[in-house]
Amino acid sequence: MGMWASLDAMWEMPAEKRIFGAVLLFSWTVYLWETFLAQRQRRIYKTTTHVPPELGQIMDSETFEKSRLYQLDKSTFSFWSGLYSEIEGTLILLFGGIPYLWRLSGRFCGYAGFGSEYEITQSLVFLLLATLFSALTGLPWSLYNTFVIEEKHGFNQQTLGFFMKDAIKKFIVTQCILLPVSSLLLYIIKIGGDYFFIYAWLFTLVVSLVLVTIYADYIAPLFDKFTPLPEGKLKEEIEVMAKSIDFPLTKVYVVEGSKRSSHSNAYFYGFFKNKRIVLFDTLLEEYSVLNKDIQEDSGMEPHNGEEGEDEEIKAKVKSKKQGCKNEEVLAVLGHELGHWKLGHTVKNIIISQMNSFLCFFLFAVLIGRKELFAAFGFYDSQPTLIGLLIIFQFIFSPYNEVLSFCLTVLSRRFEFQADAFAKKLGKAKDLYSALIKLNKDNLGFPVSDWLFSMWHYSHPPLLERLQALKSIKQD
């Protein structure tokens, strides 16, 4: 009876109170659901202390234990950082943090001689202050994650100076993109008339295409060093494979990811006939700084394939070696190029643009509703930026959760298809061993709770991918 009474009471409240209550309730529901899933996965980290029989061939017990402890530490960290974020977000809403920051931005504009009619200027000051607040409150968490957790488990390669310089650079680059783009978007919404949502959507489409085009050439090099992959067997084989599937490859780069972390990766980018492949140095056995360090420690010259080296030293290096052999790197690239050949990249762009258009259309429908603004403490004014924030971040949150889950399911499907594509190229055996190596290098834990993995994993669990490749290998 009490529950129905409280629901009735909620319906009798003014519309803005109902909206505010629903937003807070949904936010905490999602938080509790995520925490419930994380606890299920945490139980697996705690109780699975021995390598399960089906993983006997794949993982030795030392690596298994290392990855178990790493994932346990990460899950403890995400519990506390998640709790902090949820409480911080709730307090900002309850104590009117958003209207307060808007008034503060107005005051700063006033000092500079801009009155309340300069709404776009005030919006930019608001964005600058909001992102500064978020960067400062996120900094202690980021420091702890990098210098305690990643350091303890042997992944962090950064010094504190490098980290801080990097954080400041990131903040400045973000502002250089965010502020001009936001001011233009707000201007388009202001002057766009009845069909402003079409122009706003087209503008964000153009911006995202421009950013994808310039990111790797102009933005990424501000943070990491990119060098062309030297001529040699690996480069030739990559070019041959790209040609065999009509991938319009123009350049292959190696990025010095090892200055930051020993995690590894590979990706491609570019439009139309101008595609580039980027390999992390940590992915390549020949380039990995870690391997060079080991070789120097063991008094070896960097390995050039000479015979007659001490077998014991070779074994020691091999056991600690990071990265993949050339054939395995090619298999990983075969998988990545599969995403291109099978149209996954284009499909993802189309889905995200359809979603973006739908969101702008709904925004156009809702922006005139004064009670949405009143719910968040804006009684006298309805600034466009605040409307974007309220509608995209709070009102759309149930839709965003559902969409995110659907995209996760689709992503796993794409991963299986890309694995099968690499197999068609004759790379099943090498991809099989590469996946095991990458899992070991990145200390991935190969056992997962079915509900947690279904909700969160954009890639299928290791064992499922290996089983699919095995059945493929036996075909």
Side-chain angles (χ1 to χ4, degrees):
M1 191 69 200
M3 184 182 137
W4 296 118
S6 59
L7 278 175
D8 284 344
M10 193 170 165
W11 282 115
E12 283 159 18
M13 284 178 185
E16 61 263 28
K17 289 269 196 299
R18 288 208 304 272
I19 293 165
F20 185 78
V23 164
L24 263 188
L25 183 68
F26 186 75
S27 174
W28 276 92
T29 305
V30 170
Y31 169 75
L32 292 171
W33 165 245
E34 296 277 0
T35 307
F36 164 70
L37 291 180
Q39 287 308 112
R40 287 177 63 108
Q41 182 64 15
R42 191 179 168 79
R43 197 175 307 131
I44 285 192
Y45 297 145
K46 281 191 151 168
T47 54
T48 319
T49 49
H50 299 291
V51 184
E54 67 271 24
L55 291 167
Q57 301 299 307
I58 295 164
M59 224 173 177
D60 59 275
S61 53
E62 186 195 353
T63 309
F64 186 82
E65 183 60 10
K66 269 188 192 168
S67 77
R68 188 179 80 83
L69 296 174
Y70 175 53
Q71 299 298 339
L72 255 178
D73 280 354
K74 273 173 66 177
S75 96
T76 306
F77 174 78
S78 59
F79 171 77
W80 289 110
S81 66
L83 179 63
Y84 169 78
S85 298
E86 189 59 28
I87 291 172
E88 180 194 87
T90 302
L91 292 175
I92 287 171
L93 288 180
L94 286 175
F95 291 102
I98 299 171
Y100 170 74
L101 197 61
W102 182 256
R103 288 194 301 273
L104 188 65
S105 310
R107 227 174 292 153
F108 281 134
C109 288
Y111 297 147
F114 294 100
S116 58
E117 68 277 16
Y118 288 93
E119 194 197 295
I120 291 178
T121 311
Q122 189 173 344
S123 299
L124 298 185
V125 176
F126 177 89
L127 275 175
L128 182 65
L129 293 176
T131 46
L132 186 62
F133 173 80
S134 151
L136 292 174
T137 54
L139 188 64
W141 296 99
S142 188
L143 281 165
Y144 186 86
N145 186 42
T146 306
F147 292 101
V148 178
I149 296 178
E150 296 289 302
E151 183 80 36
K152 174 180 166 185
H153 295 279
F155 287 115
N156 175 46
Q157 306 291 330
Q158 306 177 65
T159 60
L160 187 59
F162 179 90
F163 178 92
M164 293 310 291
K165 205 168 81 183
D166 208 47
I168 292 164
K169 228 191 293 182
K170 257 183 211 154
F171 185 79
I172 293 168
V173 170
T174 304
Q175 300 310 317
C176 290
I177 296 166
L178 178 70
L179 299 180
V181 168
S182 303
S183 60
L184 276 168
L185 177 63
L186 293 171
Y187 183 69
I188 288 166
I189 292 172
K190 287 254 177 264
I191 62 156
D194 289 347
Y195 295 103
F196 78 82
F197 61 93
I198 296 175
Y199 310 129
W201 167 69
L202 284 171
F203 172 68
T204 55
L205 169 64
V206 170
V207 167
S208 55
L209 294 180
V210 168
L211 282 177
V212 167
T213 311
I214 66 165
Y215 174 76
D217 289 326
Y218 299 102
I219 301 171
L222 295 171
F223 299 97
D224 295 302
K225 189 171 156 198
F226 287 72
T227 45
L229 180 69
E231 296 300 326
K233 193 159 179 272
L234 179 61
K235 192 179 179 192
E236 282 165 26
E237 287 176 327
I238 290 172
E239 285 167 348
V240 167
M241 182 168 72
K243 205 168 178 192
S244 74
I245 61 162
D246 305 320
F247 181 77
L249 180 64
T250 51
K251 287 195 179 106
V252 185
Y253 291 111
V254 177
V255 60
E256 200 180 343
S258 53
K259 271 181 82 172
R260 209 172 277 284
S261 157
S262 53
H263 289 296
S264 46
N265 202 354
Y267 62 90
F268 68 87
Y269 69 96
F271 281 114
F272 310 116
K273 300 285 176 213
N274 185 19
K275 301 260 192 258
R276 288 78 178 292
I277 286 174
V278 177
L279 306 166
F280 278 55
D281 58 351
T282 45
L283 177 70
L284 310 172
E285 205 177 80
E286 291 177 15
Y287 289 84
S288 179
V289 175
L290 188 77
N291 298 342
K292 286 174 188 162
D293 291 345
I294 294 166
Q295 283 161 344
E296 281 159 20
D297 291 348
S298 56
M300 280 170 60
E301 286 298 306
H303 179 46
N304 290 323
E306 293 150 12
E307 296 302 318
E309 279 156 339
D310 187 281
E311 287 302 316
E312 198 182 324
I313 291 178
K314 261 175 136 180
K316 178 190 169 192
V317 171
K318 192 166 186 281
S319 73
K320 285 172 91 175
K321 253 193 174 174
Q322 188 199 23
C324 297
K325 294 197 191 90
N326 286 359
E327 306 78 49
E328 292 163 341
V329 173
L330 283 167
V332 169
L333 279 181
H335 166 97
E336 290 301 327
L337 297 183
H339 284 307
W340 170 79
K341 191 69 175 175
L342 299 166
H344 296 165
T345 322
V346 174
K347 284 173 192 165
N348 280 332
I349 290 172
I350 290 169
I351 290 168
S352 95
Q353 289 311 318
M354 281 166 58
N355 169 54
S356 171
F357 182 80
L358 175 70
C359 288
F360 274 118
F361 172 71
L362 292 173
F363 170 76
V365 172
L366 294 170
I367 187 70
R369 308 295 291 263
K370 290 205 163 83
E371 61 270 31
L372 284 180
F373 288 91
F376 293 88
F378 288 83
Y379 299 101
D380 308 319
S381 62
Q382 286 84 36
T384 308
L385 177 72
I386 301 299
L388 282 165
L389 177 75
I390 290 170
I391 292 168
F392 276 76
Q393 193 177 336
F394 299 122
I395 306 301
F396 288 170
S397 51
Y399 164 72
N400 289 337
E401 285 297 322
V402 173
L403 179 73
S404 162
F405 174 67
C406 293
L407 290 177
T408 303
V409 173
L410 183 68
S411 168
R412 284 198 296 267
R413 224 186 120 157
F414 283 171
E415 291 303 320
F416 278 129
Q417 289 173 1
D419 283 353
F421 182 84
K423 167 258 173 176
K424 269 191 192 152
L425 295 176
K427 311 271 181 218
K429 184 169 150 288
D430 292 322
L431 185 58
Y432 190 92
S433 58
L435 288 174
I436 292 170
K437 273 192 187 175
L438 291 174
N439 187 72
K440 183 180 176 179
D441 285 351
N442 293 302
L443 288 186
F445 193 69
V447 188
S448 49
D449 173 73
W450 69 273
L451 201 54
F452 181 87
S453 66
M454 182 181 80
W455 188 259
H456 281 294
Y457 286 7
S458 61
H459 287 55
L462 176 70
L463 206 57
E464 286 180 28
R465 288 179 77 178
L466 294 180
Q467 278 161 348
L469 277 170
K470 222 174 194 171
S471 62
I472 287 166
K473 275 193 338 193
Q474 287 158 0
D475 283 353

